[in-house]
């Protein structure tokens, strides 16, 4: 159904009050435009609903006689096409475009034939500010007038705010949250004004406060010869409109003021400033040389020079009209000759066009994780080198990078652009490189993505007009377009597959797991890559990184400070290099928080600073204590010196809870035959890990409570086992293996050999980190080994601990294999290597002379050990605790007992030895060893 056409109401010259500035007749504000006819997707699909742009402009209401020449946007610097670029690591989604979102609305106000009557530069609209709620303020010039409009991305509507009947140069503009007050700062730029300045000197810059609901009054806030920038403060998004607005005035005279404007409603619709005299104001900052506005979090960062060093300060504004100086940090960056610079206080297009490239680019980026970074780039002294630094103030050190620029077909750019991607800071030099710095874990270079060539290309962005207004967004000032930025998952995986360097592989792997976050599809892609590249990475184990990083981000959002206590990588250090990049790390002073008991970002920053003071790496859980305790318990079990029953009962109760929790997660039947048996060693390790991790968290998270910590630890260990199972399930699906592959009387296929190799690497990764494996893993592993390996290789793997013999596997050997010569050789080789506890159980099931020899040898060994260690005064009846139903052996035992009782050497009684049996057994054993 086609919506009805919007109404077209003529706009007359409604003069309103003359106010304090009668020399400028005013056009009144028009009604807002109607909704667009078509939307490209819903706002709910956008990562920022109020930034979801429409590519089809609706028919807006007319604005009257203002005229406009349409100026096409210049082509992208990288030659890209409009729209998202799926082949690039950073994917842009256009959220606002002057040419498609504003120009069609402006063209609807006058006849098209009149467009050629004005110069191109005078008619082009340009953006002057973006407010916290996402609304975009722009200005354009008509027939001797200067107009101000507002675009609302949420409902895709344009709105005419105000018109000056003069040719003015708008410096800065801001509107309050209720759209009742408009602050404008401008220069008088017409020839008539220049002539008047010669006859009667007037101020160069005027700052006005205008009532626009409806147009009622105009007040002059400043009339000075230096430029003024204006910015309204915005309340919290969930707060109702309040009667008082707060306006920041930022002066090139190096000070910042806050004005308090109280408004009242007259005649049920007119909003009028209540203050009859001078507006109350506060001085916020003095003597500053640089300032940046954080519109999303309502923070003001500024730098004040001191004798010894420069001081970075931050003022936090609150919805309750208060503000606090909340942070100070000493800087080692020389800034004395930079002049006065403002960041994110609107955009003066004309001034930017006249300025030469800036010698210093300085920006502050924060993230929800509590990271606080100061990014700085300067004009290069050497034409083919670019230097930039990032101070990780939340960590207490800075990194300075020098990159050799190789390409000569791109013009030399004076500075790199910084983009805030929340978990990363992106440094972008068009045509040369794209560097993504990990802000939460910046200690090792291998967590940074450094791209060059085609991998570093970002379409639709110009070379020197890129500005990061807020997280995951970029504004191309030259073309008047705004984009949301995200890391393209498919491009990241493609980069991972194509990477030749370990540093690139590790950086891409961490980016996928820690930034893009794990989804089922992405997880399967990563497991696929790992299975194909297990032997490619030489400086890290991809299985270990996958498991540790996945666990880290699965658990850390649960509790504050948990990310400081759980490991996020298996690497302790990395000595590699990134080709073409040099890095220098310097220790810097930690910032000082001036206000205690802060919430939100400041609370997380304070936690980061506390961890930096106390050497954060030592807070991370490690497996050294766990490994020692596990080995100690295993050795005690082997020596039959078990701990107290209560201690072991608690350990196995922990393991039982983990396995029960895991069973509740997985109701569907698994392809991989795991969890089918009791595995003493793995259950012991599972229970020990629960106990050790619980003790570690209790030392640092006492405020969380025991029940919460118990739940965190239970989920962590359960998720660990589940990750290993998901890897195994993916391998089974990849190679189309059956749910049961433990039929030992057949040889293994190539797919089973590949699965065996991957299981061996899983075992290696788990042993390296002392991680438990699902019960049944070792049985499945050695079962595949029996099917896939030659006997000598199988025995070599068993002797070196790669394969571990289990009771279940030994029993299956008896059931599945007949007593052919080849199978007898395999059985005998396996049984001679069985642990003693398993051997006693399994040996009773094999009725074969070789097994009889095995029983006899073990029993004699046991008896002789007791004869050597036993006191002679003990009764003879207690000398053998296990009675074996094997008559020759019983006879031998009786003879040895009698010899012991008489105090004789049992080896001197040759008549008690069956020489023929010994000879046959020795000959058979020798033939097996020689392979005859």
């Amino acid at each position: 159904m086609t919506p009805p056409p919007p109404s077209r109401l003529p706009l007359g010259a409604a003069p309103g009050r003359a106010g304090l500035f009668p020399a400028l007749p005013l056009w009144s504000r028009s009604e807002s435009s109607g909704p667009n006819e078509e939307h490209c997707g819903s706002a709910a699909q956008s990562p920022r609903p109020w930034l979801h742009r429409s590519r089809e402009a609706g028919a807006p209401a007319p604005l009257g006689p203002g005229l406009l020449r349409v100026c096409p946007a210049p082509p992208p610097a990288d030659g890209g096409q409009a729209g998202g670029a799926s082949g690039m690591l950073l994917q842009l989604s256009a959220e606002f475009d002057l040419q498609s979102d504003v120009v069609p609305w402006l063209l609807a106000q006058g006849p098209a034939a009149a467009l050629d009557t004005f110069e191109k530069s005078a008619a082009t609209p340009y953006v002057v500010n973006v407010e916290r709620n996402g609304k975009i303020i722009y200005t354009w010039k008509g027939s001797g007038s200067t107009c101000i409009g507002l675009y609302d991305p949420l409902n895709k509507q344009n709105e005419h705010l105000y018109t000056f009947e003069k040719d003015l140069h708008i410096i800065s503009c801001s509107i309050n949250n209720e759209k009742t007050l408009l602050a404008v700062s401008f220069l008088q730029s017409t020839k008539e004004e220049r002539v008047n300045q010669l006859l009667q000197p007037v101020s160069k810059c005027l700052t006005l406060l205008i009532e626009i609901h409806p147009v009622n009054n105009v007040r002059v806030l400043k009339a000075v010869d230096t430029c003024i920038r204006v910015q309204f403060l915005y309340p919290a998004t969930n707060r109702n409109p309040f009667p008082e607005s707060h306006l920041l005035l930022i002066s090139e005279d190096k000070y910042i003021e806050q004005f308090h404007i109280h408004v009242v409603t007259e005649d049920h619709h007119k909003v009028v400033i209540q203050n009859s005299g001078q507006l109350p104001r506060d001085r916020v900052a003095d003597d500053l040389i640089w300032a940046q506005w954080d519109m999303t979090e309502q923070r003001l960062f500024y730098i004040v020079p001191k004798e010894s060093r420069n001081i970075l300060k931050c003022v936090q504004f609150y919805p309750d009209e208060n503000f606090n100086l909340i942070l100070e940090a000493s800087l080692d960056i020389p800034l004395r000759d930079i002049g006065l610079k403002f960041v994110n206080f609107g955009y003066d297009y004309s001034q930017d066009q006249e300025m030469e490239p800036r010698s210093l680019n300085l920006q502050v980026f924060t993230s929800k994780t509590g990271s606080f970074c100061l990014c700085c780039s300067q004009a290069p002294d050497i034409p083919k080198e670019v230097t930039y630094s990032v101070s990780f103030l939340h960590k207490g050190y800075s990194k300075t990078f020098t990159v050799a620029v190789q390409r000569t077909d791109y013009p030399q750019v004076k500075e790199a652009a910084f983009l805030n991607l929340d978990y990363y800071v992106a440094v972008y030099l068009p045509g040369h490189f794209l560097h993504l710095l990990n802000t939460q874990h910046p200690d090792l270079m291998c967590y940074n993505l450094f791209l060059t060539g085609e991998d570093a290309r970002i379409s639709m962005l110009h070379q020197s007009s890129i500005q990061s207004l807020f997280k995951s967004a970029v504004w191309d000032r030259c073309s008047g377009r705004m984009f949301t930025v995200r890391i393209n998952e498919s491009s990241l995986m493609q980069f991972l597959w194509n990477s030749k360097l370990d540093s690139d592989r590790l950086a891409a792997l961490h980016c996928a797991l820690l930034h893009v976050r794990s989804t089922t599809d992405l997880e399967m892609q990563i497991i696929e890559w790992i299975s194909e590249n297990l032997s490619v990475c030489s400086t890290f184990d991809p299985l270990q990184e996958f498991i540790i990083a996945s666990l880290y981000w699965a658990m850390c959002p649960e509790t504050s400070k948990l990310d400081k206590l759980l490991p996020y990588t298996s690497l302790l250090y990395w000595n590699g290099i990134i080709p073409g990049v040099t890095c220098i790390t310097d220790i810097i002073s930690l910032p000082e928080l001036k206000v205690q008991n802060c919430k939100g970002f400041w609370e997380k920053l304070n936690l980061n600073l506390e961890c930096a003071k106390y050497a954060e790496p030592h807070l991370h859980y490690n497996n050294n204590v766990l490994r020692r305790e596990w080995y100690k318990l295993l050795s005690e079990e082997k020596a039959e010196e078990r701990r107290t029953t209560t201690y072991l009962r608690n350990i196995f109760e922990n393991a039982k809870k983990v396995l029960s929790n895991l069973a509740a997660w997985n109701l569907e039947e698994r392809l991989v035959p795991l969890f089918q048996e009791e595995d003493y060693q793995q259950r012991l390790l599972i229970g020990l890990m629960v106990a050790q991790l619980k003790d570690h968290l209790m030392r640092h998270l006492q405020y969380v409570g025991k029940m919460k910590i118990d739940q965190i630890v239970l989920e962590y260990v359960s998720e660990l086992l589940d990750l290993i199972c998901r890897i195994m399930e993916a391998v089974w699906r990849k190679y189309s293996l059956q749910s049961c592959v433990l039929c030992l009387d057949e040889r293994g296929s190539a797919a089973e050999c590949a699965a065996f190799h991957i299981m061996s690497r899983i075992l290696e990764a788990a042993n390296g980190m002392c991680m438990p494996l699902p019960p049944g893993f070792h049985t499945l592993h050695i079962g595949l080994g029996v099917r896939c390996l030659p006997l000598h290789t199988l025995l070599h793997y068993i002797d070196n601990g790669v394969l571990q013999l289990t009771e279940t596997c030994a029993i299956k050997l008896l059931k599945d294999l007949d007593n052919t010569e080849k199978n007898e050789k395999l059985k005998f080789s396996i049984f001679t290597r069985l642990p003693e506890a398993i051997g006693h159980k399994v040996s009773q099931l094999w009725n074969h002379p070789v097994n009889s020899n095995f029983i006899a040898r073990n029993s004699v060994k046991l008896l002789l050990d007791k004869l050597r260690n036993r006191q002679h005064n003990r009764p003879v009846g207690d000398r053998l605790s296990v009675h074996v139903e094997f008559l020759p052996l019983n006879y031998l035992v009786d003879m040895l007992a009698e010899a012991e009782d008489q105090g004789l050497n049992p080896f001197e009684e040759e008549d008690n030895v069956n020489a023929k049996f010994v000879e046959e057994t020795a000959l058979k054993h020798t033939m097996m060893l020689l392979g005859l």
Side-chain angles (χ1 to χ4, degrees):
M1 179 178 178
T2 304
S7 60
R8 294 181 174 271
L9 301 177
L11 180 66
R17 302 180 184 178
L20 300 178
F21 195 61
L24 295 176
L26 309 173
W27 287 95
S28 68
R29 182 171 71 104
S30 77
E31 298 297 327
S32 64
S33 68
N36 291 334
E37 294 182 3
E38 294 184 17
H39 290 175
C40 292
S42 64
Q45 295 172 333
S46 172
R48 293 179 181 270
W50 48 266
L51 267 181
H52 192 84
R53 71 179 295 266
S54 169
R55 299 189 182 276
E56 296 291 337
L63 278 180
L67 301 177
L68 176 76
R69 174 184 292 273
V70 180
C71 300
D78 292 329
Q81 303 296 322
S86 59
M88 298 175 294
L89 183 65
L90 292 188
Q91 181 173 344
L92 304 183
S93 300
E95 303 293 345
F96 171 76
D97 189 345
L98 276 171
Q99 299 302 316
S100 59
D101 292 324
V102 174
V103 169
W105 179 78
L106 293 175
L107 286 176
Q109 64 183 322
L115 292 177
D116 295 331
T117 59
F118 293 95
E119 296 180 0
K120 175 180 178 180
S121 60
T124 304
Y126 65 91
V127 174
V128 291
N129 202 5
V130 180
E131 300 291 4
R132 183 189 188 187
N133 55 14
K135 295 180 179 179
I136 300 166
I137 303 175
Y138 55 90
T139 181
W140 76 97
K141 295 184 179 181
S143 179
S145 62
T146 303
C147 306
I148 299 174
L150 182 72
Y151 178 76
D152 187 349
L154 187 61
N155 54 29
K156 311 297 185 295
Q157 289 182 348
N158 286 283
E159 184 177 352
H160 177 214
L161 296 178
Y162 205 75
T163 297
F164 295 99
E165 288 188 338
K166 292 288 184 179
D167 181 8
L168 303 175
H169 174 191
I170 302 294
I171 300 173
S172 181
C173 189
S174 184
I175 188 172
N176 66 346
N177 189 47
E178 295 77 23
K179 296 196 297 186
T180 58
L181 300 175
L182 181 69
V184 183
S185 180
F186 58 86
L187 299 177
Q188 301 182 60
S189 59
T190 62
K191 295 180 180 179
E192 292 80 3
E193 294 293 344
R194 297 192 187 100
V195 173
N196 291 337
Q197 289 181 16
L198 297 175
L199 299 177
Q200 182 180 359
V202 295
S203 300
K204 175 183 176 182
C205 177
L206 290 174
T207 304
L208 306 182
L209 180 63
I210 307 171
E211 300 168 353
I212 58 170
H213 191 68
V215 174
N216 293 314
N217 201 356
V218 176
R219 295 192 179 211
V220 177
L221 296 179
K222 292 286 181 179
V224 293
D225 290 332
T226 55
C227 292
I228 300 289
R229 286 169 174 79
V230 292
Q231 179 61 59
F232 273 104
L233 300 181
Y234 274 64
T237 54
N238 58 353
R239 178 168 175 172
N240 295 327
F242 53 94
E244 187 167 89
S245 295
H246 307 278
L247 176 69
L248 293 181
L249 261 67
I250 304 93
S251 172
E252 287 187 350
D253 287 331
K254 300 184 178 182
Y255 67 86
I256 298 177
E257 290 181 318
Q258 179 182 203
F259 283 79
H260 306 279
I261 308 111
H262 194 84
V263 296
V264 294
T265 303
E266 295 180 354
D267 300 331
H268 303 288
H269 70 283
K270 292 183 179 181
V271 177
V272 182
I273 299 173
Q274 186 181 38
N275 310 75
S276 58
Q278 188 175 10
L279 296 175
R281 53 185 162 175
D282 301 318
R283 185 62 67 101
V284 178
D286 282 302
D287 301 326
L288 53 91
I289 59 174
W290 172 91
Q292 175 181 321
W293 177 242
D294 183 345
M295 67 174 182
T296 304
E297 303 298 337
Q298 300 288 279
R299 302 181 191 127
L300 172 67
F301 298 96
Y302 63 96
I303 296 176
V304 177
K306 297 294 182 181
E307 294 181 359
S308 59
R309 58 179 59 188
N310 300 300
I311 305 297
L312 172 66
K313 299 185 178 184
C314 179
V315 172
Q316 176 72 68
F317 293 91
Y318 302 100
D320 60 359
E321 309 174 11
N322 295 323
F323 66 91
N324 281 323
L325 175 63
I326 203 166
L327 175 139
E328 286 189 358
S330 299
L331 302 180
D332 296 325
I333 305 174
L335 302 174
R336 293 189 178 276
D337 300 329
I338 68 169
L340 183 63
K341 293 186 180 295
F342 298 121
V343 180
N344 290 351
F345 283 105
Y347 175 55
D348 183 0
Y349 178 79
S350 301
Q351 184 180 3
D352 189 76
Q353 290 292 100
E354 297 172 0
M355 291 176 58
E356 294 185 359
R358 291 170 286 179
S359 60
L360 178 70
N361 181 18
L362 190 69
Q363 285 184 265
V364 168
F365 290 147
T366 62
S367 79
K368 59 186 178 183
T369 60
S371 64
F372 184 25
C373 302
L374 178 67
C375 306
C376 177
S377 68
Q378 296 183 350
D381 297 328
I382 303 175
K384 292 188 177 181
E385 284 188 355
V386 175
T387 300
Y388 51 93
S389 65
V390 178
S391 298
F392 302 97
L393 298 174
H394 58 295
K395 294 288 188 179
Y397 53 84
S398 67
K399 291 183 178 290
T400 301
F401 302 91
T402 301
V403 180
V405 177
Q406 302 294 333
R407 296 187 61 177
T408 58
D409 54 337
Y410 268 77
Q412 180 67 31
V413 180
K414 296 298 183 182
E415 65 182 27
F418 298 108
L419 307 178
N420 186 2
L421 302 182
D422 197 21
Y423 194 81
Y424 285 91
V425 167
V427 186
Y428 180 49
L429 192 64
H432 297 286
F433 67 84
L434 173 65
H435 189 183
L436 270 63
L437 288 87
N438 190 314
T439 60
Q440 191 161 356
H441 303 298
D443 43 347
L444 301 183
M445 280 282 289
C446 56
Y447 302 138
N448 296 340
L449 276 164
F450 188 84
L451 311 176
T452 57
E454 189 65 20
D455 293 328
R457 186 174 63 89
I458 304 178
S459 295
M460 302 184 293
L461 290 184
H462 291 78
Q463 293 183 6
S464 59
S465 60
I466 305 169
Q467 184 173 343
S468 184
L469 289 175
F470 43 82
K471 296 179 183 66
S472 302
V474 61
W475 178 19
D476 189 338
R477 301 190 303 265
C478 184
S479 65
R481 292 191 291 178
M482 190 177 299
F483 308 91
T484 56
V485 187
R486 71 176 184 88
I487 294 178
N488 188 306
E489 180 180 312
S490 60
S491 298
L492 181 63
M493 292 306 301
Q494 182 180 0
F495 179 78
L496 178 62
W497 278 97
N498 296 336
S499 296
K500 304 301 181 183
L501 300 176
D502 273 7
S503 59
D504 290 340
R505 298 185 184 110
L506 185 57
L509 186 60
H510 268 262
C511 184
L513 294 171
L514 306 184
H515 180 75
V516 179
R517 303 298 171 86
S518 179
T519 61
T520 301
D521 182 59
L522 180 63
E523 185 179 83
M524 290 300 103
Q525 294 183 55
I526 294 174
I527 293 175
E528 171 72 15
W529 177 83
I530 291 175
S531 65
E532 295 291 337
N533 293 272
L534 281 171
S535 302
V536 172
C537 304
S538 58
T539 59
F540 72 98
D541 188 327
L543 276 169
Q544 290 182 348
E545 290 302 303
F546 171 69
I547 294 172
I548 291 295
S550 297
L551 287 172
Y552 182 80
W553 276 114
M555 303 303 302
C556 286
E558 295 291 329
T559 306
S560 175
K561 198 179 179 179
L562 198 57
D563 60 325
K564 306 297 184 297
L565 303 176
L566 296 178
Y568 62 89
T569 179
S570 63
L571 292 181
L572 299 178
Y573 58 89
W574 187 76
N575 295 325
I577 61 172
I578 298 179
V581 182
T582 59
C583 176
I584 300 175
T585 302
D586 296 306
I587 303 299
I588 61 176
S589 301
L590 291 173
E592 179 184 357
L593 290 178
K594 298 293 185 180
V595 178
Q596 302 299 321
N597 300 322
C598 298
K599 300 299 181 182
F601 164 78
W602 299 111
E603 181 181 14
K604 294 182 179 180
L605 174 61
N606 185 51
L607 178 59
N608 285 334
L609 297 178
E610 290 297 322
C611 292
K613 291 178 184 177
Y614 299 109
E616 178 183 338
H618 298 292
L619 297 176
H620 287 145
Y621 169 79
N622 65 74
N623 54 29
N624 293 335
V625 177
L626 173 63
R627 191 187 302 273
R628 288 195 299 267
E629 182 68 11
W630 187 45
Y631 287 169
K632 186 176 182 180
L633 286 177
L634 291 179
S635 63
E636 291 176 357
E637 171 70 17
K638 187 175 182 180
E640 298 183 357
E641 299 175 358
R642 289 192 177 186
R643 297 279 186 94
T644 61
T645 307
T646 304
Y647 178 77
L648 288 176
R649 184 188 301 121
N650 291 335
I651 294 298
F652 286 107
E653 186 64 28
N654 291 336
K656 181 179 178 181
K657 291 179 181 179
V658 170
L659 297 177
S660 299
N661 191 45
L662 196 58
W665 289 358
N666 303 279
L667 300 179
E668 298 181 0
E669 185 178 356
R670 294 181 182 270
L671 288 175
V672 187
L674 297 174
F675 303 103
Q676 304 296 322
E677 63 182 272
E678 292 286 335
D679 190 327
Y680 177 83
Q681 290 192 3
Q682 294 308 311
R683 288 175 183 265
L684 181 64
L685 184 54
I686 292 171
L688 271 177
M689 187 173 189
V690 171
Q692 295 287 337
L693 186 57
K694 189 183 302 183
D695 291 342
H696 176 74
L697 297 185
M698 284 295 293
R699 286 194 294 270
H700 303 282
L701 296 177
Q702 297 92 342
Y703 60 91
V704 173
K706 183 178 183 301
M707 291 185 62
K708 179 64 175 178
I709 290 179
D710 288 347
Q711 184 64 27
I712 290 174
V713 173
L714 177 62
E715 291 185 4
Y716 186 87
V717 182
S718 300
E719 182 70 23
L720 167 61
L721 294 177
D722 191 54
L723 267 176
I724 297 175
C725 291
R726 294 205 296 269
I727 295 173
M728 298 278 290
E729 292 281 318
V731 172
W732 250 243
R733 284 192 296 269
K734 176 181 178 179
Y735 294 109
S736 301
L737 298 179
Q738 302 299 319
S739 59
C740 183
V741 293
L742 289 182
C743 184
L744 302 182
D745 59 348
E746 298 179 2
R747 298 305 300 167
S749 62
E752 291 174 2
C753 292
F756 172 80
H757 174 65
I758 295 176
M759 289 189 70
S760 300
R761 294 302 300 268
I762 293 174
L763 178 62
E764 180 183 355
N767 289 339
M769 295 186 292
C770 197
M771 293 189 311
L773 292 166
F777 181 92
H778 289 295
T779 295
L780 179 59
H781 190 207
I782 195 171
L784 287 175
V786 171
R787 289 171 61 90
C788 299
L789 298 178
L791 180 59
H792 65 279
T793 306
L794 175 69
L795 299 179
H796 177 71
Y797 277 22
I798 294 174
D799 293 338
N800 287 275
V802 178
L803 294 174
Q804 296 186 23
L805 294 171
T806 66
E807 180 180 343
T808 304
C809 183
I811 293 175
K812 285 191 68 64
L813 278 173
L814 296 179
K815 292 182 178 180
D816 293 352
L817 302 183
D818 56 18
N819 289 328
T820 62
E821 182 177 358
K822 181 179 179 181
N823 290 341
E824 284 183 359
K825 184 176 180 182
L826 171 62
K827 289 181 181 181
F828 181 77
S829 301
I830 293 295
F831 275 104
T832 56
R833 289 167 170 83
L834 281 174
E836 186 174 344
I838 299 177
H840 280 307
K841 296 180 182 179
V842 177
S843 60
Q844 308 298 321
L845 305 177
W846 190 22
N847 185 17
H848 191 272
V850 173
N851 186 39
S852 300
N853 175 41
F854 174 78
I855 297 173
R857 287 193 303 128
N858 283 344
S859 299
V860 171
K861 178 178 179 297
L862 175 64
L863 180 62
L864 293 179
D865 287 342
K866 289 187 176 183
L867 287 175
R868 184 170 61 250
N869 299 320
R870 184 187 294 263
Q871 298 295 332
H872 290 286
N873 57 356
R874 296 190 60 182
V876 177
D878 295 335
R879 289 167 184 165
L880 186 62
S881 58
V882 179
H883 183 75
V884 181
E885 294 296 338
F886 182 61
L887 294 180
L889 178 62
N890 292 338
Y891 178 74
L892 177 61
V893 169
D894 293 338
M895 293 296 295
L896 290 172
E898 183 179 355
E900 180 190 8
D901 187 54
Q902 298 173 0
L904 301 176
N905 186 343
F907 294 103
E908 294 178 355
E909 297 292 334
E910 296 181 0
D911 294 339
N912 295 331
V913 180
N914 188 334
K916 184 176 181 181
F917 177 76
V918 172
E919 180 182 355
E920 291 178 354
T921 304
L923 180 61
K924 189 175 186 63
H925 193 189
T926 303
M927 293 176 64
M928 288 182 178
L929 293 177
L930 295 177
L932 301 176

